[in-house]
Amino acid sequence: MYFAALLARTEVGWEASDTDLDDVETLSDLTDLAREATTDDDTVLAYIEQEDTWFGIVRVDGEDDPRIYVSDAAAAARSSYGEMLLTDELLGRTPEDDDVLAGLDLDGTEEGEPYREDQDDDTYDSGADQGVAGPLGDSALLADLGVGERALHALRPGDALNEIADVLGAAEVLEAVR
C-alpha cells in the first residue's frame, strides 16, 4: 500500500493534496504532476511512502531538474514507484550499463524485506547485508526549508511526511488531505 502527496508552496503558504499515482510511470510524469500543482514556479515536494518501509521525496523548483531523496534504496528497488525514483543518475550509472538492480540479491516482494526468524515482529530486515540499503540521493534537498541532512536521515517511514510538514508549517493543510 502506498501513500503519495504533494506539498506546493504558494504566496500564502503551503497547499497539500493527496495524489493518485496510477497514471505516473516515470520520474518525468511525476515531475510534470508536481509542476501542475502550482501556477508559479514555486517549490513542490512530491512524497511517496510504502507502508512504513521506505519513503521518497522529489523536489521540483520551477523548470529545474528534480532533486530526489530515497530513505532506503534496497526497499525502494522492490517496488514500481521506488524504481521510478531510482534513476540512472541517482544510482551512478550510465544508461548503457547493465541493470544494476537486476544484479542485487533481492527477494522481489512488493511488501518490503523478508521476515527473518530472529527478528521482532515490528522490525524488518533493512537489507544492509546486500550493500545497497540506506538512503540515496540529495539529502540536502530540504535544508533551505529547515530540514537538514541529519534530520532527514533520522526520519522514519510512517512519520517522515508529518515531521517535514510540521517543520514547513504545513501540518494543518496536510492533515486536511489525509
Side-chain angles (χ1 to χ4, degrees):
M1 177 89 132
Y2 291 93
F3 174 74
L6 296 175
L7 287 174
R9 186 165 39 187
T10 67
E11 293 177 4
V12 295
W14 290 90
E15 291 182 6
S17 60
D18 61 344
T19 189
D20 183 10
L21 297 178
D22 288 344
D23 295 329
V24 176
E25 295 179 10
T26 66
L27 178 61
S28 180
D29 293 341
L30 183 61
T31 302
D32 291 344
L33 184 67
R35 286 188 177 121
E36 291 170 7
T38 183
T39 55
D40 297 321
D41 287 341
D42 290 322
T43 299
V44 179
L45 304 176
Y47 179 89
I48 302 172
E49 178 183 77
Q50 181 187 359
E51 293 184 346
D52 297 341
T53 304
W54 66 273
F55 69 90
I57 301 168
V58 177
R59 178 176 176 163
V60 178
D61 293 301
E63 293 301 316
D64 292 346
D65 289 339
R67 296 167 63 189
I68 305 165
Y69 174 82
V70 177
S71 67
D72 188 330
R78 291 176 184 79
S79 73
S80 59
Y81 295 127
E83 285 181 341
M84 173 180 58
L85 300 180
L86 298 174
T87 63
D88 288 337
E89 183 179 332
L90 194 64
L91 292 169
R93 65 182 181 190
T94 61
E96 297 83 34
D97 288 345
D98 291 333
D99 187 2
V100 173
L101 297 177
L104 300 177
D105 182 26
L106 304 175
D107 70 357
T109 65
E110 280 290 315
E111 298 303 318
E113 299 294 337
Y115 177 77
R116 294 186 334 227
E117 301 253 346
D118 64 334
Q119 75 185 27
D120 295 330
D121 287 339
D122 63 345
T123 63
Y124 66 94
D125 179 0
S126 69
D129 58 327
Q130 298 170 1
V132 294
L136 185 64
D138 184 353
S139 56
L141 82 161
L142 300 176
D144 64 321
L145 300 174
V147 182
E149 292 182 47
R150 292 181 103 182
L152 186 60
H153 287 291
L155 295 175
R156 297 290 165 239
D159 300 326
L161 183 57
N162 290 334
E163 292 184 31
I164 292 167
D166 191 42
V167 171
L168 298 177
E172 288 183 24
V173 295
L174 178 63
E175 189 61 36
V177 300
R178 276 202 150 199

